Amino acid sequence: MGRIAVIGAGMGAMAAAARLAVAGHRVVVYERTETYGGAVRRFERDGFRFDTGPGLLTLPAVHRDLFVKTGKEALEDCVEMVQVDPSSRHVFADGTEVSLPNASRAGVVGALDAALGTGAGQRWGDFLVRAREAWDRTRRPLLEEPLWPNWPVLAEREPYPAVPHKRLLRTRVAGTLAEVGAWELRDPRLAALLESHALAYGLDPRTAPASAAVLPYMEHAFGTWYVRGGIRELARAVYERCLRRKVEFVFGAEVTGVLEKDGRAAGIELADGQVAEADFVVAGVAPKTLSRFVSGKALRPESGVAPQHGLPSRLTVLLALRGGRPEGATHRTVVHAENRQTELDLLFGTPGGMAARPTVTVLRPDDPTLVPDPGHEAITLVSAVPAQPGEADPALAENLITVAERVVPGLRERILWTEVRTPADIEETTGAAGGAIPAPALAAGGGRLLHPANTTAVPGLFTVGGWSHPGGGLPHAGMSGALVAGLIVEGPEFRGSQ
């Protein structure tokens, strides 16, 4: 079998490496930092442990499939998976609150009716039925198959079956997620609930296609999961699976170029001048970095679209608290912005803009492994911010704490110390300009939310991870690893798992 050089040790790259090693290839991963996991990192201090990347997992079947296909141990033999229930608690601008059960349509409908009034739950339930149809129409071409050569078909067709709506004597159907909320859900709180799923992925619901309805559907249908010890434990399990399959890792190895011979990728060049020959190269890096590796080459594949630009990033505030976690506290609470329109205008329209009271996700895991003893609690606050070079304004972190005080009484008095992770930290970790975070691939919208194919204009060079098909997010990274492994092992006729 062949020699394969993998650039980067992110989750998608490691998924590809493990699958390729099982297929008999000799795989070496070159990572410029000193550890694995890409954006899935951990911060530790004084006995506290925090995830600095994703805090929850959806679509666990992606990683279950990875472990089944790469060895005898199941995913649950390597990490402890916990289904979070309630899935989330939402605190709206008017003070209304609702807790949504995990993966229960009837439970969600009942909770929304009780909190928002009779009929609210039914409207949300009917929306989920339509979202499921959009999911069924797009699941395979967007997630399980290499990007189609005729990808414009995905860009032009809206898979969400919007309900006809009469407006100004005209019958219209929703084309954006915001229009779905306004015309079909008809309650500003339900609209805020819907739009928060887009915002969590850095998407503007006013421009995101209606097909973004699949984002809340995925969470509803497949549940929300926590990995005991934090999502970093999932990265550790994937890394150890790679080691067991004889994948070699070289840390502190900065790749500076992709070698070519006879018109195809033939290896990589490192910053220290060393050359590693390979039959295939798999690059799990951001677009700007990849473009430097192959100078003078247009890497946009014929069967793909240009990488996204100008995406938001995330601001994360880690709080070490005195006093234990109260019994019954909700794992995830979303505190919605006081003025959603202002928040969106600032976030997506003003360079460096951010609302004074933005939408904030408060994570309070019930996990004793994250704290030094039961008399302490670890809380993480997350909010979308513009991707930008340099350090973020320290006042932004204070804004998040102020918002979180609405749902954590006495929060400031309990703080022992804080740690702030900015877009600059994400850029340092992942190499993405300004700390930008890629969104999952979505159909329609003119193809703005499709990603470049995993193949490139250079034969033998493949891309993996959030900046290539099928886009960002932990499940999508795992899917990209499966697609790249299939394309290398089975060749260009590979069409995904059946």
Side-chain angles (χ1 to χ4, degrees), residues 359-453:
T359 297
V360 177
T361 298
V362 181
L363 298 176
R364 307 181 73 177
D366 183 10
D367 187 346
T369 70
L370 305 184
V371 291
D373 57 60
H376 294 85
E377 184 179 10
I379 291 183
T380 300
L381 313 179
V382 185
S383 187
V385 297
Q388 56 190 12
E391 293 297 328
D393 183 348
L396 298 181
E398 288 298 312
N399 289 346
L400 267 62
I401 294 174
T402 299
V403 172
E405 285 184 299
R406 290 183 61 189
V407 294
V408 185
L411 175 60
R412 287 186 184 274
E413 290 73 22
R414 296 177 58 198
I415 296 177
L416 292 171
W417 50 261
T418 66
E419 176 73 16
V420 180
R421 313 300 289 183
T422 69
D425 296 309
I426 296 175
E427 180 173 14
E428 173 62 26
T429 299
T430 67
I437 298 175
L442 294 173
R448 290 178 296 102
L449 290 168
L450 295 177
H451 292 257

Side-chain angles (χ1 to χ4, degrees), residues 290-357:
L290 181 60
S291 66
R292 294 200 306 263
F293 292 165
V294 187
S295 59
K297 287 280 187 179
L299 286 176
R300 174 179 173 177
E302 294 180 359
S303 57
V305 293
Q308 303 168 60
H309 299 283
L311 291 175
S313 183
R314 292 192 188 113
L315 182 69
T316 302
V317 180
L318 314 177
L319 301 176
L321 305 181
R322 62 175 62 87
R325 180 182 187 271
E327 185 176 354
T330 302
H331 188 124
R332 175 177 59 171
T333 299
V334 180
V335 186
H336 292 264
E338 294 177 352
N339 189 310
R340 176 62 58 113
Q341 189 65 40
T342 298
E343 175 181 38
L344 298 178
D345 285 343
L346 287 171
L347 180 58
F348 296 102
T350 304
M354 183 179 179
R357 300 290 183 269

Side-chain angles (χ1 to χ4, degrees), residues 7 258 265 280-283 290 294 299 454-463:
I7 306 172
V258 173
F280 299 94
V281 176
V282 176
L290 181 60
V294 187
L299 286 176
N454 307 104
T455 53
T456 72
V458 179
L461 173 62
F462 298 82
T463 62

Side-chain angles (χ1 to χ4, degrees), residues 9-16 36-40 63 66 231 234-236 238-239 464-465 474 477-478 480-481:
M11 296 298 284
M14 290 197 296
Y36 55 85
V40 182
H63 289 89
L66 170 65
I231 296 296
L234 177 63
R236 174 198 57 76
V238 176
Y239 170 67
V464 72
L474 277 175
S480 75

Side-chain angles (χ1 to χ4, degrees), residues 153-235:
V153 173
L154 297 173
E156 297 161 1
R157 294 180 179 175
E158 173 55 70
Y160 178 77
V163 177
H165 169 77
K166 276 195 173 183
R167 184 176 176 85
L168 299 178
L169 303 180
R170 296 176 57 192
T171 299
R172 303 179 61 184
V173 294
T176 67
L177 198 67
E179 290 173 342
V180 171
W183 299 352
E184 299 180 10
L185 298 179
R186 305 191 308 279
D187 182 310
R189 296 163 298 183
L190 287 179
L193 171 60
L194 173 63
E195 293 179 3
S196 68
H197 287 84
L199 199 58
Y201 286 100
L203 296 173
D204 185 345
R206 301 169 303 182
T207 59
S211 66
V214 300
L215 300 177
Y217 174 76
M218 284 193 299
E219 187 173 299
H220 162 77
F222 306 109
T224 304
W225 299 78
Y226 174 69
V227 178
R228 186 72 66 188
I231 296 296
R232 177 65 178 178
E233 287 299 294
L234 177 63

